[in-house]
Amino acid sequence: MPGRKTPGTPSGGRSSGGKSGRDARSEQDSRDTPRAAPPDGRAPRVPKALYEKELLRLQTEMVRLQEWVRAEGARLVVVFEGRDAAGKGGTIKRLAEHLNPRVARIVALPVPTERERTQWYFQRYVEHLPAAGEIVLFDRSWYNRAGVERVMGFCTPEEHQRFLRQCPIFERMLVEDGILLRKYWFSVSDTEQQRRFRKRLHDPTRRWKLSAMDLESITRWEAYSRAKDEMFVHTDVPESPWHVVESDDKRAARLNMLADLLASVPYGDVAQPDLRLPPRPASTGYERPPRDLQTYVPDHAATLTDRGERADGGA
């Protein structure tokens, strides 16, 4: 794996040990904004203002990394794994928020079809690997076989053991071919997972995230733990090591994961074309058709404004 650097250091080299002005300011902000410990004994949460400021900085660096990947023809694969409700989806969302969807793709495969079940296990994932200049983010990956399939009995013991033998070979082939492979395991406590499940159950905007399979994972907590431990024994190898993200604090988990990814890739600045807005040409006599000839969507926003003004007036 390439030498790590501090996100935001010049030209993708290793950090020189000194801090840039913005890194120093960020560190100072961290000292000036203490993280008060919550009463339940959990780790102190990152203050929202500090989180949003650092998240934007890291997202800006992700755009720089994206441009480097595109210009250099690099291929980057990032694997997100972990228990249900561990924070993978939220992190992927923040990571990709400002990226070009033509360069960075999110792959979240559904249940395999009958035909896919007869293929070599890794085959359905190979077709989603990046070409030159692309980033692929796997929201769960081939490691389904080592986790949910193993615990829920969706694969045979022989298929599971074959996966554990073949996976390091498969990943070594990817790395030897020049793919930058990064693997992150999001670790969440049973107490925090239960709290997030309960929140999803009562939030209509998150209810879709909760399935019967998720609830089943509660009763099989230790089985998932044993499966994960066995998976790490076989697949946490020097060519493609696992990086564990403590995710009880979602804000800290997102910042830590993004910073680690940026530090692991030797990206640098890419020369941008000198773009300038051209002067708008003079009118040649074009006239817009009458508005009443077109169908407009109702102005729902205006009704909200009217209601708000009436409420303010009534108060």
Side-chain angles (χ1 to χ4, degrees), residues 116-166:
E116 287 172 333
R117 289 191 180 96
T118 68
Q119 296 174 342
W120 176 48
Y121 177 72
F122 294 96
Q123 188 170 336
R124 69 194 297 247
Y125 296 99
V126 169
E127 63 179 293
H128 296 282
L129 293 173
E134 294 180 348
I135 300 171
V136 173
L137 311 173
F138 278 100
D139 186 356
R140 294 198 180 279
S141 64
W142 45 88
Y143 282 101
N144 277 337
R145 175 137 296 178
V148 63
E149 290 190 17
R150 170 73 177 89
V151 173
M152 301 302 295
F154 297 152
C155 68
T156 66
E158 293 76 19
E159 288 172 330
H160 175 245
Q161 288 302 311
R162 187 184 310 130
F163 170 83
L164 294 179
R165 289 195 304 272
Q166 291 185 351

Side-chain angles (χ1 to χ4, degrees), residues 293-315:
L293 295 181
Q294 298 173 340
T295 302
Y296 286 83
V297 299
D299 195 350
H300 175 70
T303 66
L304 300 178
T305 304
D306 292 343
R307 286 203 298 265
E309 289 176 348
R310 288 197 297 271
D312 291 341

Side-chain angles (χ1 to χ4, degrees), residues 1-18 22-23 57-58 61-62 64-65 68 258-269:
M1 178 180 289
R4 290 181 175 258
K5 66 184 185 65
T6 300
T9 55
S11 287
R14 293 175 184 258
S15 172
S16 63
R22 64 180 172 184
D23 288 337
R57 187 185 76 83
L58 294 172
E61 289 299 319
M62 280 302 307
R64 286 184 61 216
L65 182 146
W68 175 85
L258 286 172
D260 186 83
L261 174 62
L262 289 164
S264 76
V265 179
Y267 68 96
D269 286 320

